[in-house]
Amino acid sequence: MLLFVSVICDAYTPSGEAIPTNNRAAAARIFSEERVVDEEPWFGIEQEYTLLQKNVKWPLGWPVNGYPGPQGPYYCGVGADKAWGRDIVNAHYKACLYSGIKISGVNGEVMPGQWEFQVGPVVGIAAGDQIWAARYILERITEMADVVLSFDPKPILGDWNGAGAHTNYSTKSMRADGGYEVIKKAIDKMRARHKVHIAAYGKGNERRLTGKHETADINTFSWGVANRGASIRVGRDTEREGKGYLEDRRPASNMDPYVVTSLIAETTILFDPTK
Ligand SMILES: *[C@@H]1O[C@H](CO)[C@@H](O)[C@H](O)[C@H]1NC(C)=O
């Protein structure tokens, strides 16, 4: 029997300082602040990614030196002319379930060769842990399949969707009666720190956040109910029930989930715009 044990570790120098790439340490500090712990922050993350043919680094299913038919039939598509890589996607889904990751779904994306998996809801620092673990498992499975995994936020320039990591978020007060008011206050705080968030939301995101292809322009903060073209989307259910969650649509697929989740918690729970 072959037994794999995977453990997530964060790394420190011999003197006990977090090494520069260890973003978990700072995130864990924010998530252990009493006010943050009391709010039980939940995250649901949609991780998009693109599968590439190994030698040409061109999306799976695309003709080499050419393009497939325009976007439209591929999102959640089925069939050999619409979906490429489903074996990988399904193997990853099962491996995540066996690993105890709270994977909640998978789907084919708008750009052919692009897929998404969803993790959540997960509380606090565990969201970052689970996304990193799920990414690692996906790397291992694509490696076996001889396919290259890309988290680039805009793998193909032109009229093709980019890849994001939409982050759903709620606190205890947002989920309780009257939560819609708390959500709107949180959105105001996020507006005030738009630049700080954008800077932390992944490299190359300016190629993706163009205002086209279901994105908001990188320089303009906006929010809306059921609006896929806004920085922050609030669902119809949340509006109707007067409580629920918000969806931050800005993070790029290559974002660090420790950075993104802890920054959202910091801005919405700890940040005081009057100071
Ligand atoms: C995030 O929220 C959207 C609606 O705003 C929903 O369709 C999606 O399933 C949610 N995903 C996760 C991972 O929570």
Side-chain angles (χ1 to χ4, degrees), residues 162-175:
H166 298 162
T167 302
N168 290 337
Y169 170 69
S170 68
T171 59
K172 205 174 178 178
S173 339
M174 294 176 186
R175 296 185 294 269

Side-chain angles (χ1 to χ4, degrees), residues 44-46 104 118-119 168 233 245 247:
I45 297 176
E46 305 175 354
S104 40
Q118 297 104 32
V119 171
N168 290 337
R233 169 166 71 156
Y245 64 98
E247 177 188 21

